[in-house]
Amino acid sequence: MSDGKDFVTGVDSSAKRSPRRVVFVTRRTSAQVKAVDEAEVQTFPEVLFRGAVAVELLAIALVAVSLLFSAPLEGLADPSHTPNPAKAPWYFLGLQEMLHYFPPVVAGVLVPGLVVMALIVIPYFNINVEAEGLFSKDRERRLRVFYIVAVALSIFLFSFHVYVALVPTLIVVAFMVAAAQSSLQSPGSFRRYLAAKPLSYWIMTWFLFELVVLTAVGTFFRGPGWSWVWPWRS
Amino acid sequence: MAKTLEQYFDELRGTRVWRSVFRSGTGSSPLHRSLVIQQNVFFHLFATKVRRRMMSFSATWYLGTLTLGTFVILVITGILLMLYYHPSAPQAYADTKDLQFVVSSGLFLRSLHRWSAHAMVFLVFAHMFKVFYRGAYRPPREFNWVIGVVLLLMTLLLSYTGYLLPWDQLAYWAITVGSNIASAAPFVGDKIRFMLLGGNLVNANALLRFYVLHCMILPLVAMFFIAIHFWRIRKDGGLYSLQSQPKVAAAATPLTPAKEAQ
Ligand code: HEM
């Protein structure tokens, strides 16, 4: 019986050398390695070609814009002559708009620092990864926290006269209230959509909304002395 | 029978010289097409195959690709602009003016660089939000998201440092406003501004520092992180293809994963 052994054991991952292999499923690994097998395309040439076409279209658009509109050039830099208003590049005008309301430590350091920190930690918190509707679990407590935060934030923005940030906040809060009143069994598809949205979705959407509104206000609606102007009346 | 262009190309790929340069060899079998990617130092950052579904426009809106596109345009036009530019005050302004009025196609070159820079800032934000809303920051992609945040900051810094270089009123005062914000940081604010500007005010030293940052340091750092960013997409299992959130209908009857036997 001792010469009846017709296999050898060993560790090998090459299908050519050892065509028949035994898989050991340990307690920590799942036997279901791949859930779905789906159609793939080859990077060369399909994906590279599509990427090249996308970039080509973008380049054509940018060349067209550059031929139609010239880059601005003003007079020589003059430290003794401050333009009014002096504006930062457009992507910082949201920050500059906040500087109008809050001291520089808050608007210029604390807020951008917190935004960057918040962006970095998003994927490291399970609540952002799990993606369950915000009010679908632990409803009472979450509703309470939500209402307290929403009211406190609104009062805060109101008391500092930050109406440009208050309006987007109130709009997002309104949608969140609608989400709280909806469930995954609601009749309207939009209400089901709202009910399925997790906390991270609401925070990011609020951030995006504020970013767009503050940047637009800083760019188009601010004139001399950072006073409010209507862009179509100048 | 006349040869087609493709046959000529295949012939070229078979020549000794071509094969000494490109390691993948001739042939258009899936294996050879994979080799084109695997055997090339630049392409091997990418996976050899991509899920077909992720190639549709709606999946990514191609925003990452387009961001890279603007970056490439900026590098090319930027190098050409460097040929006409001295980073000293007030010569920098005269050079920019020459680009505007004297150098042939200089105005076009400068405009293309500037509008592409604006486009890149816009696209990088758009890419970030798109990645977020499709849930592609989820593990194991956490770190690629963090690299993305670094790239976002690099893009903003590149744009900001470039803003000063024309040395006109717009540039000077935008940077003055921006650097005053930096000085608001508690304790170290003034030190940071001094380091950034090489002085307490925006002056010729600041111009030189911004020039070095804009044309050397930041592009190199950005390229370094872009390379890691692409390589991580492959290492993290290709583009994230799951639903960002469970389908609304499916969420009504949640699936519970099977418990592991203890
Ligand atoms: C210079 C800037 C950047 C470039 C050139 C770039 C390029 C790309 C490209 C080409 C892709 C492939 C798919 C796609 O287009 O979505 C991608 C994916 C990705 N990007 Fe970026 N990106 C940049 C900045 C960012 C930023 C700011 C973030 C987020 C904070 C980010 C996070 C990600 C993540 C997590 C993926 C993986 C998505 C997936 O697995 O489906 N990237 N990037």
Side-chain angles (χ1 to χ4, degrees):
Chain A
M1 289 298 280
S2 61
D3 56 355
K5 184 176 149 197
D6 60 356
F7 63 89
V8 285
T9 53
V11 180
D12 192 0
S13 60
S14 161
K16 266 192 190 148
R17 258 180 323 218
S18 49
R20 265 186 275 167
R21 281 169 295 166
V22 177
V23 175
F24 292 96
V25 181
T26 61
R27 209 159 59 80
R28 291 234 151 261
T29 56
S30 158
Q32 188 192 23
V33 175
K34 227 178 184 182
V36 274
D37 225 349
E38 57 167 292
E40 292 183 319
V41 294
Q42 295 232 252
T43 305
F44 176 86
E46 273 102 314
V47 178
L48 294 179
F49 179 74
R50 278 162 172 268
V53 170
V55 171
E56 198 62 40
L57 292 176
L58 173 81
I60 290 170
L62 285 172
V63 165
V65 168
S66 307
L67 289 173
L68 290 174
F69 305 97
S70 303
L73 185 64
E74 295 185 357
L76 175 65
D78 180 2
S80 62
H81 178 249
T82 316
N84 193 359
K87 286 193 181 184
W90 64 269
Y91 39 83
F92 287 149
L93 288 184
L95 281 182
Q96 207 177 345
E97 175 71 19
M98 301 241 304
L99 276 170
H100 179 57
Y101 306 101
F102 302 110
V105 198
V106 177
V109 183
L110 202 61
V111 170
L114 285 177
V115 166
V116 172
M117 287 297 290
L119 284 177
I120 288 176
V121 300
I122 288 173
Y124 293 97
F125 281 93
N126 277 346
I127 188 160
N128 297 333
V129 172
E130 275 160 6
E132 272 203 8
L134 174 57
F135 300 111
S136 65
K137 238 183 6 191
D138 197 7
R139 195 178 155 79
E140 295 304 314
R141 196 177 64 87
R142 289 188 180 184
L143 266 177
R144 220 175 317 132
V145 174
F146 161 63
Y147 281 126
I148 292 171
V149 171
V151 170
L153 186 63
S154 303
I155 291 176
F156 174 77
L157 291 175
F158 186 78
S159 55
F160 280 84
H161 308 288
V162 199
Y163 307 120
V164 286
L166 181 62
V167 174
T169 305
L170 291 178
I171 293 174
V172 172
V173 165
F175 277 104
M176 291 180 77
V177 171
Q181 306 303 319
S182 313
S183 78
L184 295 173
Q185 281 81 33
S186 294
S189 63
F190 184 61
R191 291 185 63 185
R192 285 202 299 274
Y193 170 86
L194 290 181
K197 293 302 172 203
L199 178 64
S200 57
Y201 170 91
W202 293 112
I203 295 179
M204 197 68 153
T205 304
W206 176 69
F207 170 59
L208 173 59
F209 202 5
E210 294 286 2
L211 192 67
V212 170
V213 169
L214 289 178
T215 306
V217 167
T219 309
F220 300 114
F221 294 87
R222 291 302 183 179
W226 215 251
S227 61
W228 187 272
V229 293
W230 299 103
W232 50 88
R233 267 207 238 144
S234 59
Chain B
M1 216 169 50
K3 282 188 191 164
T4 65
L5 207 60
E6 211 177 326
Q7 282 165 330
Y8 274 118
F9 185 58
D10 272 346
E11 214 166 80
L12 176 69
R13 286 172 73 197
T15 60
R16 230 181 113 182
V17 174
W18 183 280
R19 298 209 51 176
S20 74
V21 180
F22 298 101
R23 307 184 64 238
S24 56
T26 51
S28 56
S29 68
L31 171 66
H32 280 101
R33 293 186 159 175
S34 302
L35 286 176
V36 171
I37 300 298
Q38 280 171 12
Q39 305 286 338
N40 184 300
V41 66
F42 304 107
F43 288 161
H44 98 281
L45 293 173
F46 306 117
T48 53
K49 284 181 187 164
V50 179
R51 292 181 194 87
R52 180 175 293 279
R53 206 151 44 89
M54 297 313 292
M55 292 316 299
S56 66
F57 181 76
S58 60
T60 62
W61 294 354
Y62 282 68
L63 289 169
T65 312
L66 294 178
T67 311
L68 179 72
T70 50
F71 185 72
V72 172
I73 294 175
L74 285 163
V75 169
I76 296 170
T77 52
I79 290 173
L80 292 176
L81 285 172
M82 280 174 81
L83 300 179
Y84 299 97
Y85 180 87
H86 302 79
S88 59
Q91 179 66 33
Y93 179 70
D95 289 342
T96 313
K97 214 160 190 180
D98 277 356
L99 275 164
Q100 209 88 343
F101 298 110
V102 181
V103 178
S104 53
S105 302
L107 179 60
F108 168 68
L109 199 60
R110 190 170 165 247
S111 302
L112 185 56
H113 193 76
R114 195 170 183 104
W115 302 136
S116 301
H118 286 318
M120 181 167 175
V121 172
F122 177 81
L123 287 168
V124 79
F125 271 110
H127 170 57
M128 179 179 84
F129 282 107
K130 178 70 184 169
V131 167
F132 175 82
Y133 281 121
R134 65 194 176 88
Y137 58 84
R138 297 216 167 91
R141 293 170 179 74
E142 312 99 307
F143 191 62
N144 215 12
W145 170 268
V146 175
I147 290 172
V149 176
V150 173
L151 283 172
L152 172 73
L153 296 180
M154 286 302 131
T155 306
L156 290 177
L157 279 176
L158 269 166
S159 183
Y160 180 68
T161 50
Y163 217 88
L164 182 64
L165 300 187
W167 202 247
D168 64 343
Q169 276 289 76
L170 194 63
Y172 183 88
W173 289 100
I175 301 310
T176 301
V177 171
S179 65
N180 284 345
I181 298 180
S183 72
F187 312 120
V188 290
D190 287 331
K191 299 237 163 38
I192 291 178
R193 185 175 61 177
F194 193 91
M195 193 178 75
L196 190 68
L197 299 182
N200 286 319
L201 289 171
V202 179
N203 55 21
N205 289 350
L207 180 61
L208 187 58
R209 286 195 182 197
F210 275 45
Y211 176 78
V212 173
L213 281 169
H214 185 76
C215 301
M216 268 294 294
I217 299 174
L218 293 172
L220 286 180
V221 174
M223 281 182 211
F224 179 76
F225 279 102
I226 289 174
I228 301 178
H229 193 58
F230 288 176
W231 172 78
R232 275 304 289 246
I233 295 174
R234 165 158 75 81
K235 286 291 179 186
D236 294 340
L239 295 182
Y240 183 78
S241 59
L242 300 176
Q243 209 81 37
S244 81
Q245 270 114 47
K247 274 233 178 69
V248 174
T253 52
L255 295 172
T256 15
K259 287 259 157 42
E260 274 183 339
Q262 287 301 308

